[in-house]
């Protein structure tokens, strides 16, 4: 959804096309970032007071002192289960409590014992248990080094950039006399207060103005900052959301990467500007190890990255190597946040999958989506009325293109009052929903968090009377301008507010809703058209806390409350589906995200890959970009290529701006309709595999859409690839994202791997750059030799219609003539899988025997689905194939063998997908 | 289904067929095979895929496994991705559906034959549909017949109108010749008399060059006392091509012309120009494409309105389409006459109006007007299927076809 209405655009932007950078702050325009960035590496003023050290079974605490101002900090160090170290730094005695982010961690992380290895006046050495890992706390200056053997994995404050702006009293005439008295009463504070006096009062500490907006900053400066050094690391990833390459760039010559959820109108690519969501998690990788840093802070945050090899050419690096003069490559990272405390989780890997499970153990895994939400979504701002919905729905049938969801944007409401329907255009929503239900299809309607200030609007009245709105700095209900005009913003950080919000999704509250209506949360950064940087004033109040402290979690809470509502309305039975634009660490637990308001341009198609890969690395697997591009109108070629790419990305939704011409798949001539139909059908045949990947993501926290380096961590050739990706570990996709492309070059990783073109079944060796000639119908996709992928080749008009259909197993043999895979089946939409109501089988092929083994013998579920076909790639011709069923009965299976491609196809073996069986090739 | 259907009208023969209820004899053939294809499916004999891609034993026909590339071995199951299933639909029209809709739990064939194994509770609705279809066919036939009768009247009227116009044109041309002679005479007198005046006038004229039609300039020679309000009501005098004819513009026009002195010469020039304009309009109208028999001519210089909950839409055929908010606000141009834009075989079924007011970040507004046969001339609906692209449904007898071309319809749908 465009953040800017026409009127507003005319006022503020004057009709420009690209993002107006002037609407958003640079580091220089953000007072705390400017202050902090002015500090240069050097000796830290902080000293650890070892005599204050306390070591209990679960944590170490000690005080740090800033020798310049004598303010004391409290350091807490925890060893967490699963090879994670937590470092927390807060003021020892803050004037008032500083914000610690609640609700993001799924629980208080369980600890493991820390033991003291040695101690002297220079520092202490603690054991981290596993593999001779230890942490060294150096006293003067204070720094932390995490070591394994003789190797330093990570150092904190090694560049002396730890900074902690302690809360203080304002020293000018406006100072609160009562507080002064309190200070006088406390001699300890007085001493510190004197020191504070010596500190320079800089511009922007107590008030800051950006454009016409003044931030009142009643608490004064409160920024925190810390540096991390990563020896041996040249590749860092993560910290979404940015429209940038997968591998993060160094920021020495520009702004740091910014994390501050913003509604950016027509965002630009390849720069570090903040976008709609923020996950303060960075991964560092080299051939030996992968580690992660999770900076748990919800305030505006900037991340600087520098590297001692960044400026060097490959030749320069070689020269260093030859001359033996090279310093170890190193990446230095520095986090700066506006308020809160330092609370950082250091995930020590060592493998990528270890980092994923470590992070999942802290913030949870991807929610397990309803199967149907993995199908194709048809969206547009707006489908105008019920008649329009009906005709688009009919269009899919007429052109035989499957789809599962049709979406309604803001115009469906009665004057942008969410939870209502336009009485003329959507007079009988239940009739419309029933019409979709009759075809086993579903709908998503938008519910945004800005609430129209209108005393005739029930939702507004309830929120106001319950005092649930966020307050402005003067204590009144905060009001901002958004789609409905003047709007209030409910305080989703309150659990009572969230409970109430959730109850609004009950069928008897949300009039016109039915069980096939799901929800889309947009504008939840939150977007405030007339606010600073199109968002909320930082001095707005959430109870005792300033919006400043928790801004980046607002969208997270909105989606949390909405998902809860969808669960509750079904009595806890049905899985929810909620799409959000803003997000934070932990948002993966509540549904899907998309990359916001992109544009119909080739570069935007390309960037969808690194943007979703970056989200996957930090736990958010259910990611997609608007197919076709939101702003502007795509060329037919771009639209087709976008469908082909989107069909292989986790969240597959076409969307378009209100002012663009219609672009339903059949509007571009029969040839292009056929190309789009084929792309969507490929998606539907692979739904069993997608579903299985999401089940795994839900169970383990592994990303669904993965960069190649995650599976091939020792192959540097994969480290910067972001024009191709893996789905799970078995499918490699290199979509065509170049205009007029005649071919693409895909890197097939793994020197021991073989890869099969899923369309032609041609076999290719790994560890090569493969040139693939392409036509408009080409979507280069490869199945890894050694894998078994279940598909449903009978594509119907929606995924639900395919529920009972039989499977085809694609068995791709590796060079040892082996293959493995899984088959996961459940009802597709309830939480009953948590009660062991599913089928989970291991499929394996070895020694010419393919067998299905029950991975969950205690689980109970039955399916009508059977195995209609088995396709073995890289096979040789057998003389006979025997199927042995669960009851021991043997029968012959007919087959066909294509010698040119070595493809063996077993005809109709016919066993139930949930049964035990073996198939023997002789 | 329905699109194709609308283009055909009906034969009484077809009506009687439907009325009879068509209880065709069930011919033995594999499930999902059409009557015309049943010859290819011979019980007990090997089946050759209709694309000749393979020959398979007959027991593999409809055995729920796809053997033929073209899907022809599985007409009655969902096994082939590209198969099609034949719904007999006794009592209604037979049809083909993609075989992926077999047993998907959704009733597609009105005779319920597509859901033989899904547990879907389908009702046979063929007879009911047939009855409704027939009623609607009868109604349409009645409309078509009456519409066609009215169309004949329109054609006659247009013919008369055309002749009148041609005659008028001749008359004008005679008058024009007359005037031209007078102008010639007066010019010499004038040129010598008013040299300084001429220069001033040319300056003013230059300022409006290209913006303001000469004819309009003339009109003001005769109406110098016109008020701004009156002037504004003449939107055709708008000097700009954009929509808004502002008060300021009107004032400027009046100012300019009030400063000019008029001579006999100029008056007569204006008479002549006015005639020229009328003349050109007549020529345009005479040569305008009002359909094969000028049956659409009656729409010229008419306007038709439709009021919705928010707007009043106004269609002035061959001129422009506009939209005005019901409760105040200025009018928006949704396009001026562009062209006939129907499909090749029926080009007069669609009108296209283009180059309306521009949209923010979007195209200029345009309107597609779909014409359907009816007894009256009326706008029945408007919509905006895509931003700034409007669709209007317009009923007129002029589009009605002679109710005779139904032979083809019958032939296409005889398989009942």
């Amino acid at each position: 959804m465009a953040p800017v209405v026409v009127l507003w655009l005319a006022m503020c932007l004057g009709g420009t096309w690209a993002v107006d950078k002037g609407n958003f702050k640079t580091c220089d325009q953000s007072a705390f970032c400017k202050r902090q960035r002015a500090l240069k590496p050097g000796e830290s003023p902080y000293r650890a007071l070892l005599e204050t050290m306390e070591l209990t079974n679960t944590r170490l605490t000690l005080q740090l002192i800033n020798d310049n101002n004598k303010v004391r900090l409290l350091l807490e160090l925890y060893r967490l289960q699963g090879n994670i170290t937590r470092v927390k730094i807060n003021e020892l005695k803050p004037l008032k409590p500083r914000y610690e982010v609640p609700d993001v961690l799924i629980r208080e992380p369980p600890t493991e014992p820390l033991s003291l290895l040695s101690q002297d006046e220079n520092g202490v050495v603690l054991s981290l248990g596993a593999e001779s890992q230890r942490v060294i706390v150096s006293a003067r200056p204070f720094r932390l080094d995490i070591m394994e053997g003789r190797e330093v994995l990570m150092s904190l404050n090694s560049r002396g950039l730890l900074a902690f702006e302690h809360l203080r009293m304002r020293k000018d005439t406006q100072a609160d006399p009562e507080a002064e008295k309190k200070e006088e009463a406390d001699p300890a504070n007085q001493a510190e207060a004197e020191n504070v006096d010596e500190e320079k009062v800089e511009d922007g500490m107590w008030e800051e103005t950006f454009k016409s907006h003044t931030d009142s900053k009643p608490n004064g400066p409160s920024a925190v900052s810390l540096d991390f050094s990563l020896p041996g690391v040249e590749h860092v990833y993560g910290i979404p959301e940015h429209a940038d390459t997968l591998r993060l760039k160094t920021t020495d010559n520009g702004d740091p990467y910014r994390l501050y959820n913003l509604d950016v109108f027509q965002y630009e690519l390849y720069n570090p500007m903040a976008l709609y969501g923020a996950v303060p998690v960075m991964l560092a990788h080299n051939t030996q190890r992968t580690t992660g840093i999770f900076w748990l802070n919800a305030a505006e945050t900037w991340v600087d990255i520098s590297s001692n090899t960044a400026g060097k050419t490959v030749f320069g690096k070689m020269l260093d190597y030859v001359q033996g003069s090279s310093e170890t490559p190193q990446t230095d990272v520095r986090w700066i946040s506006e308020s809160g405390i330092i609370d950082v989780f250091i995930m020590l890997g060592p493998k990528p999958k270890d980092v994923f499970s470590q992070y999942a153990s802290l913030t949870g895994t991807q929610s397990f989506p309803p199967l149907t939400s993995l199908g194709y979504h048809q969206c547009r701002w707006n489908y105008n009325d019920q008649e329009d919905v009906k005709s688009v729905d009919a269009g899919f049938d007429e052109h035989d293109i499957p789809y599962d969801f049709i979406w309604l944007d803001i115009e469906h409401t009665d004057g942008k009052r969410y939870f209502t329907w336009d009485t003329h255009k959507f007079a009988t929503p239940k009739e419309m929903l029933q019409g979709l239900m009759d075809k086993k299809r579903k709908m998503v309607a938008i519910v945004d968090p800005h609430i129209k200030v209108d005393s005739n609007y029930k939702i507004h009245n309830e929120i106001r009377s319950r005092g649930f709105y966020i307050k402005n700095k003067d204590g009144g209900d905060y009001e901002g301008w958004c789609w409905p005009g003047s709007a209030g913003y409910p305080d989703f950080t309150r659990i009572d507010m969230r409970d109430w919000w959730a109850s609004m999704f009950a069928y008897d509250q949300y009039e016109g809703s039915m069980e096939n209506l799901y929800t889309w949360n947009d504008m939840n950064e939150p977007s405030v058209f007339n606010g600073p940087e199109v968002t909320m004033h930082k001095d707005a109040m959430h109870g005792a806390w300033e919006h400043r402290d928790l801004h980046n979690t607002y969208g997270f809470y909105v989606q949390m409350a909405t998902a809860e509502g969808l669960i509750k309305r079904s009595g806890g039975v049905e899985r929810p589906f909620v799409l959000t634009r803003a997000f934070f660490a932990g948002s993966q637990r509540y549904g899907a995200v998309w990359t916001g308001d992109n544009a119909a341009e080739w570069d935007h198609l390309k960037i969808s890959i690194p943007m979703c890969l970056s989200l996957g690395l930090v736990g958010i697997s259910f990611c997609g970009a608007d197919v076709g591009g939101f702003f502007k109108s795509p060329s037919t070629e771009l639209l087709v290529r976008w469908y082909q790419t989107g069909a292989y990305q986790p969240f597959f939704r076409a969307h378009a701006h209100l002012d663009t011409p219609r672009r339903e798949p059949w509007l571009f001539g029969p040839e292009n309709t056929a190309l789009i139909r084929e792309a969507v059908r490929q998606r539907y045949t692979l739904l069993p595999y997608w579903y299985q990947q999401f089940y795994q993501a839900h169970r383990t926290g592994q990303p669904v859409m993965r960069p190649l380096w995650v599976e091939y961590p020792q192959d540097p050739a994969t480290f910067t690839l972001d024009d191709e990706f893996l789905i799970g570990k078995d499918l490699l996709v290199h979509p065509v994202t170049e205009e007029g492309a005649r071919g693409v070059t895909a890197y097939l990783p793994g020197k021991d791997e073989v890869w099969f073109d899923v369309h032609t079944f041609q076999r290719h060796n790994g560890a090569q750059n493969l040139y693939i000639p392409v036509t408009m119908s080409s979507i280069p996709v490869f199945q890894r030799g050694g894998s078994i992928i279940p598909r449903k080749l009978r594509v119907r008009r929606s995924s639900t219609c395919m529920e009972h259909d039989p499977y085809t197993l694609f068995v791709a043999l590796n060079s040892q003539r082996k293959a493995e895979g899984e088959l996961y089946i459940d009802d597709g939409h309830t939480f009953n899988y948590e009660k062991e109501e599913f089928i989970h089988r291991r499929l394996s092929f070895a020694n010419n025997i393919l067998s299905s083994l029950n991975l969950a013998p205690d689980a109970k579920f039955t399916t009508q689905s059977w195995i209609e076909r088995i396709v073995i790639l890289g096979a040789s011709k057998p003389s006979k194939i025997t199927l042995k069923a669960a009851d021991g009965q043997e029968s012959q299976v007919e087959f066909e063998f294509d010698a040119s491609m070595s493809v063996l196809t077993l005809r109709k073996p016919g066993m139930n997908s949930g049964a035990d069986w073996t198939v023997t090739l002789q | 289904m329905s699109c194709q259907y609308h283009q055909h009208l009906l034969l009484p023969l077809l009506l009687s067929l439907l009325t009879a209820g068509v209880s065709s004899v069930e011919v033995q053939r594999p499930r999902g095979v059409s009557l015309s294809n049943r010859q290819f499916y011979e019980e007990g004999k090997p089946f050759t895929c209709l694309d000749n891609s393979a020959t398979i034993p007959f027991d593999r026909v409809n055995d729920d496994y796809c053997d033929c590339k073209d899907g022809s071995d599985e007409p009655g199951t969902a096994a082939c991705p590209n198969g099609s299933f034949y719904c007999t639909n006794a009592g209604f029209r037979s049809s083909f559906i993609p075989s992926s809709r077999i047993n998907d739990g959704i009733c597609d064939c009105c005779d319920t034959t597509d859901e033989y194994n899904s547990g879907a509770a389908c009702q046979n609705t063929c007879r009911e549909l047939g009855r409704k279809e027939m009623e609607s066919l009868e109604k349409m036939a009645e409309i078509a017949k009456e519409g066609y009768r009215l169309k004949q009247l329109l054609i006659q009227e247009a013919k008369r109108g055309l002749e009148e116009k041609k005659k008028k044109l001749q008359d004008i041309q005679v008058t024009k010749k007359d005037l031209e002679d007078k102008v010639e005479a007066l010019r010499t007198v004038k040129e010598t008399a008013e040299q300084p005046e001429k220069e001033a006038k040319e300056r003013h004229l230059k300022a409006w060059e290209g913006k303001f039609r000469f004819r309009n300039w003339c009109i003001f020679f005769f109406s110098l006392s016109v008020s701004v309000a009156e002037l504004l009501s003449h939107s055709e005098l708008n000097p700009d091509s954009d929509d808004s004819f502002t008060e300021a513009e009107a004032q400027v026009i009046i100012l300019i012309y009030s400063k000019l002195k008029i001579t006999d010469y100029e008056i007569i020039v204006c008479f002549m120009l006015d005639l020229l304009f009328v003349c050109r309009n007549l020529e345009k109208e005479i040569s305008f494409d009002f359909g094969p028999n000028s049956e659409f001519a009656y729409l010229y210089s008419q306007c038709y309105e439709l009021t919705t909950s928010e707007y009043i839409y106004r269609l002035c055929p061959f001129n422009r389409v506009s939209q005005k908010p019901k409760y105040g606000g200025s009018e928006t141009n949704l396009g001026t006459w562009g062209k006939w834009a129907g499909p090749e075989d029926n080009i007069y079924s669609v009108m296209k109006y283009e180059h309306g007011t521009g949209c923010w970040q979007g195209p200029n507004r345009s309107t597609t007007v779909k014409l359907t046969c009816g007894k009256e001339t009326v706008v029945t609906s408007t919509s905006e299927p895509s931003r700034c692209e409007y669709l209007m449904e317009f009923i007129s007898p002029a589009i009605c076809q002679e109710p005779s071309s139904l032979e083809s319809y019958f032939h296409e749908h005889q398989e009942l």
Side-chain angles (χ1 to χ4, degrees), chain A residues 226-490:
Chain A
L226 182 59
D227 63 278
F228 301 77
S229 291
L230 302 157
V233 169
E234 289 182 273
H235 294 85
V236 287
Y237 307 94
I239 54 168
E241 181 177 18
H242 299 100
D244 207 355
T245 49
L246 173 65
R247 181 200 180 184
L248 297 170
K249 294 174 182 136
T250 57
T251 58
D252 300 319
N253 298 319
D255 258 8
Y257 283 99
R258 188 182 190 202
L259 294 172
Y260 189 57
N261 295 355
L262 291 176
D263 179 358
V264 181
F265 179 67
Q266 292 181 339
Y267 59 78
E268 254 178 47
L269 307 185
Y270 304 109
N271 77 45
M273 283 175 73
L275 288 179
Y276 313 94
V279 184
V281 175
M282 181 185 284
L283 272 62
H285 177 72
N286 62 24
T287 53
Q288 304 303 309
R289 178 180 286 273
T290 309
T291 58
I293 299 170
F294 171 27
W295 175 267
L296 180 50
N297 188 303
E300 179 184 344
T301 296
W302 299 77
V303 185
D304 253 323
I305 298 168
S306 56
S307 153
N308 59 354
T309 55
K312 289 186 183 172
T313 59
V314 175
F315 179 74
K317 285 187 203 173
M318 272 170 60
L319 202 68
D320 281 350
Y321 180 76
V322 173
Q323 295 174 337
S325 68
S326 93
E327 42 179 341
T328 320
Q330 176 168 313
T331 296
D332 294 310
V333 181
R334 177 192 193 181
W335 298 73
I336 306 169
S337 290
E338 185 175 12
S339 67
I341 63 163
I342 292 173
D343 190 1
V344 55
F345 299 80
I346 297 160
M347 301 172 285
L348 291 168
K351 295 278 163 254
K353 71 172 169 34
D354 299 320
V355 176
F356 300 137
S357 35
Q358 284 153 5
Y359 181 61
S361 76
L362 299 171
T363 66
T365 60
Q366 177 65 53
S367 63
F368 189 24
L371 171 59
T372 178
S373 64
L374 299 175
Y376 172 62
H377 299 258
Q378 181 66 37
C379 187
R380 169 172 186 84
W381 177 25
N382 214 89
Y383 285 120
N384 300 332
D385 49 30
Q386 286 181 213
E387 206 43 53
D388 198 4
V389 168
K390 208 171 172 177
S391 80
V392 171
D393 177 74
F396 278 92
D397 285 340
E398 190 183 329
H399 298 94
D400 203 14
I401 300 172
Y403 90 98
D404 273 72
F405 281 85
I406 186 162
W407 291 53
L408 295 182
D409 209 320
I410 50 174
E411 312 298 331
H412 84 277
T413 59
D414 175 15
K416 318 296 187 297
R417 293 170 186 86
Y418 305 105
F419 300 101
T420 70
W421 304 82
D422 184 297
T423 49
H424 296 291
K425 297 167 184 163
F426 295 91
T428 52
K430 282 194 176 179
E431 206 173 280
M432 170 179 65
L433 288 164
Q434 187 60 51
L436 291 169
M437 197 181 285
D438 291 344
K439 289 197 190 162
K440 304 193 181 185
R441 286 171 178 154
K442 298 171 170 63
M443 174 170 267
V444 171
I446 200 163
V447 175
D448 286 352
H450 50 257
I451 303 300
K452 186 177 176 73
V453 175
D454 169 8
S455 57
N456 292 318
Y457 178 28
K458 178 186 88 172
I459 299 283
H460 163 72
N461 288 338
E462 288 234 17
I463 295 173
R464 196 179 49 178
S465 67
R466 288 164 195 256
F468 282 158
Y469 277 127
I470 296 172
K471 303 290 185 284
N472 60 35
K473 67 179 165 53
D474 304 317
D477 285 348
Y478 180 94
E479 277 185 33
W481 202 263
C482 208
W483 296 126
S486 194
Y489 293 77

Side-chain angles (χ1 to χ4, degrees), chain A residues 542-613:
Chain A
H542 300 252
W545 299 110
E546 280 191 289
H547 185 68
R548 177 188 334 277
D549 297 316
L550 50 83
H551 172 84
N552 283 348
T553 52
Y554 188 76
F556 158 87
Y557 280 120
V558 173
Q559 193 190 19
M560 177 196 285
T562 305
E564 193 56 38
L566 296 194
I567 295 170
K568 272 189 183 162
R569 70 173 185 181
S570 72
V573 173
E574 298 287 330
R575 289 177 235 162
F577 172 76
V578 182
L579 179 74
T580 182
R581 191 170 70 180
F583 51 82
F584 189 69
S587 285
Q588 68 270 18
R589 308 199 294 265
Y590 307 111
V593 308
W594 93 109
T595 61
D597 299 343
N598 61 359
E601 291 169 3
W602 287 92
D603 276 348
H604 274 270
L605 167 59
K606 285 182 198 123
I607 206 85
S608 71
I609 301 173
M611 286 181 82
C612 280
L613 285 175

Side-chain angles (χ1 to χ4, degrees), chain A residues 65-131:
Chain A
I65 187 161
N66 181 331
D67 278 330
N68 293 338
N69 61 15
K70 304 296 178 222
V71 175
R72 291 189 182 200
L73 305 179
L74 180 69
L75 167 80
E76 295 171 72
L77 199 76
Y78 301 82
R79 180 183 157 211
L80 304 184
Q81 276 178 18
N83 209 9
I84 305 169
T85 301
R86 180 181 194 177
V87 178
K88 244 173 123 165
I89 302 175
N90 195 353
E91 286 182 61
L92 182 64
K93 288 182 184 167
L95 265 183
K96 56 194 258 187
R98 298 181 64 120
Y99 191 69
E100 298 188 32
V101 180
D103 304 313
V104 167
L105 300 178
I106 49 172
R107 55 180 170 170
E108 194 53 36
T111 55
E112 289 191 346
L114 269 174
S115 57
L116 192 65
L117 291 177
S118 67
Q119 177 177 13
D120 60 23
E121 73 279 12
N122 295 321
V124 291
V125 182
L126 299 154
S127 167
L128 290 175
E131 297 183 54

